[in-house]
Amino acid sequence: VLQPVWDSWRFRRTLAYWVSIMYLEGSLLFTIGGAFSFFPSPPLPPGTAIAAIDGPYFIGSICFTLGAWAGVEELLRLPEELRGVGRPVVFCLASMRHWRRLRDVVSWQPLVVYPSYFVGACFFNMNTICTFFARGDLATEVEVWLPAVVGSLGFTIAGGASSAQSCT
């Protein structure tokens, strides 16, 4: 009764499952951090603010990065005939032959969406790490907000490409 059925167990071993789970966990953690950030500063002591806001943001950004990397891996593993063909270790360094073969299997949107999410998530990681060390001066503000802006740009590009895919 408590054992999962074969189809459920097999799906949990797929990258699509882990992409969705990591994005779900990241979203929940960002929601928790965002909810606590609505509280005014005086009721939350500094240690509590770090645990209630900065911690969930940081762990959520790690979840988003893992989900985005699983999406990139899913894209790279998509064509079965490419599995045994010297697949590049790094997504951005794929050969033109590899890109052409991927392009024969999928449209341009996944080739833009997954890498854009991954790059955006990496910049959000930098943003959340820099938040722990923020001192309030201008240099620190740039260190905190510049990665956030670039990460948002990556997510915006990926969202635009995703919506272009759903409209066609």
Side-chain angles (χ1 to χ4, degrees), residues 36-46 49:
F36 278 110
S37 69
F38 280 115
F39 291 126
S41 296
L44 286 176

Side-chain angles (χ1 to χ4, degrees), residues 44-53:
L44 286 176
T48 306
I50 289 173
I53 300 168

Side-chain angles (χ1 to χ4, degrees), residues 2-85:
L2 294 177
Q3 297 175 349
V5 295
W6 170 249
D7 289 338
S8 172
W9 184 82
R10 187 178 58 201
F11 176 68
R12 290 182 183 147
R13 293 180 52 221
T14 64
L15 284 171
Y17 173 79
W18 288 107
V19 168
S20 61
I21 291 297
M22 289 293 107
Y23 281 158
L24 176 67
E25 291 290 331
S27 298
L28 289 173
L29 288 164
F30 269 85
T31 302
I32 290 168
F36 278 110
S37 69
F38 280 115
F39 291 126
S41 296
L44 286 176
T48 306
I50 289 173
I53 300 168
D54 298 337
Y57 281 162
F58 174 67
I59 296 169
S61 72
I62 298 296
C63 289
F64 271 111
T65 304
L66 292 174
W69 180 250
V72 169
E73 277 295 316
E74 183 178 27
L75 179 65
L76 289 175
R77 294 179 183 191
L78 192 60
E80 291 184 22
E81 68 271 6
L82 290 177
R83 290 185 188 179
V85 179

Side-chain angles (χ1 to χ4, degrees), residues 116-147:
S116 296
Y117 274 138
F118 181 69
V119 169
C122 289
F123 275 99
F124 277 125
N125 286 338
M126 287 189 277
N127 167 257
T128 58
I129 290 169
C130 290
T131 303
F132 287 114
F133 304 107
R135 297 179 304 272
D137 59 351
L138 181 61
T140 305
E141 290 298 319
V142 169
E143 290 173 1
V144 169
W145 287 105
L146 185 62

